[in-house]
Amino acid sequence: MPPGQSQPPMVGSGAPQPPMMGSGPPQPAIQPMPMSNGPPPAAIGNAPRFPPAGPPDALSRAAIPSMPQPVRPFPGSPPMGPPTGQPLPPMGPPFGLSQPFPAQPTAASAAPPSFGAPPPWQTQNLPPGPRMQALPRMYGMPPSILPGVAPNHLPVPPMHHSMGHTPVPGSLSSLPSKINPDQIPHPMSSSSAAVFHTLLGNQVNTPPPATTDFIVKDTGNCSPRYMRCTLNQIPCSSYLLTTSSMPLALMVQPLALPHPEEDPIQIVDFGESGPVRCSRCKGYVNPFMKFIDQGKRFICNLCGFTDETPQDYHCNLGPDGRRRDADERPELCRGTVEFVATKEYMVRDPMPAVFYFLIDVSMNAVQTGATAAACSAVSQAIADLPEGPRTMVGVATFDSTIHFYNLKRAQQQPLMLIVPDINDVYTPLHTDLIVQLAECRQHLEQLLDNIPSVFQCNKVAESAFGAAIKASFLAIKPTGGKLFVFQSVLPSVGIGALSAREAEGRTNISASEKEANKLLQPADKTLTTMAVEFAEHQVCVDIFITTQTYVDIASMSVVPRITGGQVYYYHPFSALSDSAKLYNDLRWNVSRPQGFEAVMRVRCSQGLQVQEYLGNFCKRIPTDIDLPAIDCDKTIMVTFKHDDKFQEGSECAFQCALLYTTVSGQRRIRVTTLSLPCANVLSNLFRAADLDTQFACFLKQAANEVPTIPLPQIRERIMNLCVNILHSYRKFCATVSSSVQLILPEALQLLPLYSLALVKSIGLCTDGRLDDRSYWVSHAASISISSAVPFVYPRMLAVHKLFSKKEDEALVPPPISLSSEHVTDDGIFFLENGEDGFIYVGNSVDPGVLLQLFDVPSVRVLPSQFVLEQFDNELSKKFNDMVNEIRRQRCSYLRLRLCIKGDQSGMLFFSYLVEDKAPSGLSYVEFLVHVHQQIKNKMVTTGS
């Protein structure tokens, strides 16, 4: 459906439900599918089966992927009129790779970045460590042009202090009221973008915060968008790391969206010989490999092995010891490159781009409008699927049976083939269940338009979710591909059937902690076993949960987690207000940069070893992770531990290699390399700490522990981690000795605030719904660094102040602190966390403002289900522009909800104000007092 066309009606009419078969021999029931007039659909033959893996080396086990031209989802005006939402125009520029490297480009300019005027406060830094630039004081931040980068969370400018730390004045050991609230660290925003050079000369440049807007110039080290470390200097020993109490981990987002003004990643083709690699550790050639003996040999920066340079790759060295062609070869001057893979890296031909849609048509799904919303979303999203003969699609529906649709071109209309056996499922056809999109687009859209009316009178309440995904898997097993499941009720029959393990999805307060944890784990291993099989055949599953009841996300989410997919959660689902988000979520899913049948490995220098991978993937061997699909939003966390010591002044390198197949069927190896200096001084580690990355690490580790460790223990561990880090800094690095001051490292000023927000988050609260907590765990597993902070510490904006916003000012006003002190009864406030947008309306808001924004004269007549519309006035336009800009920044349509003071929606809004005192934890001021007291106690205990 063209992007500008309206969404079709949510519920069809007319045709009766087809008869269902509940039992019988393993022969599908065949029903002609009522269709509109038009040409018949198309068919396609058998696709080759994926042979067993058997790579030439540890990374060469699968064919590898490419990117579609991205459609940035939300640049224009928000939808108006019907609640289904209009498709939004594409956002540029394309997520591009350059053409295969034909000519020798020149090196990027190494001009120093400009971060704007110096701040109006006095600072003194710790001396820079080896190969490390002094940390800039502040980075500018206009409304982000890059989707997914939040522009509101910056370390607060340092107050008057010395030696790179910030004292919080006031007697923290006494009453909280003695603390000056103006000097408590808070996130801050700015209006200027930073240009970041990854290397300046021979020095590593500290990256700007992940939550700011910046433009990267890759001058040797990789862009921090693709790979970030919790520490920008690596401790020389495990003792130093342990003393600091900080984690050592990488956040790897290999297909992250670049800024529109950044250079594209260069593609390098070495021909049949393939890319140059170390013969010992198999690391790929990169800017930090040292060539010696007039270029005839090179020393691997990962394992230290000396290799012979291939004869056809030889080049003489210049006076500086570098190859004379280093600046002309992307693999020798850029931190991220993409190599064209040879046949050595494949076990079969590259897989086609297969998209299979599985829609719940049970009674509840039909009656709530979820079936119609799903069909409408799929019908519109088809327009955003990759063009070309390699794109294949298929559709199935299910309730207590499974309904396949034969889209063979020779048929005058699609046939519905019903599979009644939900305990031993099968596919009714070996071909024609997935068809080339180019041959069946029109008939596929007609089929999707008719499905809601065909099942309009369905009285089958059961859901055979497990059997349906297994049958759909069998349909696309020969090729692999993406399976999109729209689920509305608890799976109750067939393979993997589940029971309501907890009424209303709430924990039983009387249950023991061990029993409570069980409710956050999969009910059994059935779905886990199925997911591993899916991953082995390169099938990725995304689940869109459109429900009004408990569905046991803890059990269902294991399938997306193992197959590299994700869970989308709409509770309580409303066809009126959620259909637009459902469509936009699906649209971004199919159109964003992504790849298939991927294998990823992270290597590091001798002295460290990979300890653990965390994220959405399948791991079958210790060194690699398998990703049936990988996209620009997925992040993998990799933790490390020391197995030897580094020499001070040496460097530690990390390299991520992603072998994948592009959507267009090209085989690529994306290689991302980061080299950081090693430090033997604790103060250098604190100066080089990356707050956003460390916080993302804490979040992912906490989410990983939720199903197995009691929540009080997790919350205590987070608070102790914060205290231990600040105690280590106070004990070994701080120069201020007054016991009435809480000393915060300049790079970690917001650590207490973010730790408090994490402790109070939905996933770690005992009074939340089980499904809400399970979704939180699932979402945190693959969340990016830039989205991690707002996910836990949302952004709040004063909507009523848009009246005074000037035309040349940013679309999104500066955020305000998450405290009820800033929420007035005569104001309107917007709070967003990247997933949901809450609009709080005070009881005393000017009726004129209500008319302009919501077209109602009073708070009492505000609708319970909200659809954003733009009215013909300046305030409404500014508000719509603001929401739309946030949607673009987050790469998320945001699910909007109205919150009214005094009712349950108002309580929900205030539950996100994490700086207030609440049953779930202390206020921000009280938490600072607590942290300070704990540090003082530790200082006394250790005799410091």
Side-chain angles (χ1 to χ4, degrees), residues 125 202 250 471:
N125 281 327
N202 196 36
L250 281 180

Side-chain angles (χ1 to χ4, degrees), residues 344-360:
E344 180 187 17
Y345 294 88
M346 292 185 292
V347 294
R348 67 167 182 177
D349 290 337
M351 62 179 280
V354 177
F355 302 91
Y356 201 86
F357 302 95
L358 179 61
I359 301 171
D360 185 351

Side-chain angles (χ1 to χ4, degrees), residues 84-297:
T84 51
Q86 300 287 346
L88 294 167
M91 300 177 70
F95 175 89
L97 296 171
S98 66
Q99 293 301 316
F101 190 65
Q104 315 294 353
T106 58
S109 170
S114 173
F115 297 109
W121 52 82
Q122 300 297 319
T123 61
Q124 294 181 13
N125 281 327
L126 293 168
R131 266 180 39 85
M132 180 67 72
Q133 284 293 103
L135 183 68
R137 288 292 138 220
M138 187 171 177
Y139 294 87
M141 188 209 65
S144 174
I145 301 175
L146 182 69
V149 176
N152 63 315
H153 300 293
L154 264 168
V156 67
M159 290 154 278
H160 295 287
H161 60 85
S162 63
M163 294 303 292
H165 57 251
T166 301
V168 177
S171 179
L172 289 177
S173 59
S174 57
L175 295 176
S177 59
K178 294 187 177 181
I179 298 177
N180 184 347
D182 295 333
Q183 294 186 331
I184 297 178
H186 281 97
M188 293 185 65
S189 62
S190 179
S191 58
S192 58
V195 177
F196 171 68
H197 293 74
T198 59
L199 284 179
L200 287 177
N202 196 36
Q203 291 186 320
V204 174
N205 201 7
T206 303
T211 49
T212 63
D213 187 27
F214 53 90
I215 302 168
V216 176
K217 300 296 182 182
D218 185 342
T219 50
N221 253 343
C222 69
S223 165
R225 301 191 202 284
Y226 304 126
M227 195 154 62
R228 266 184 186 263
C229 189
T230 52
L231 298 169
N232 291 302
Q233 293 191 33
I234 306 303
C236 287
S237 66
S238 60
Y239 173 77
L240 190 64
L241 179 62
T242 303
T243 302
S244 74
S245 297
M246 292 186 288
L248 179 57
L250 281 180
M251 296 293 167
V252 183
Q253 194 175 351
L255 301 184
L257 283 174
H259 191 283
E261 297 181 29
E262 291 174 2
D263 296 331
I265 295 174
Q266 295 289 336
I267 301 173
V268 181
D269 190 356
F270 277 88
E272 295 183 0
S273 61
V276 175
R277 304 178 67 178
C278 171
S279 59
R280 178 196 281 177
C281 71
K282 300 300 180 183
Y284 291 83
V285 63
N286 63 80
F288 303 99
M289 283 187 170
K290 184 178 180 181
F291 287 84
I292 60 174
D293 194 13
Q294 292 303 309
K296 296 178 182 178
R297 295 186 297 164

Side-chain angles (χ1 to χ4, degrees), residues 4 84 171 275 299 359 421 503 524 535 581 587 676 716 719 752 802 818-819 823 853 918:
T84 51
S171 179
I299 302 173
I359 301 171
D421 191 342
D524 57 40
K581 178 169 173 56
R587 181 191 181 203
L676 297 173
E716 184 179 5
M719 290 192 289
L802 291 175
L818 295 181
S819 170
V823 180
L853 286 178

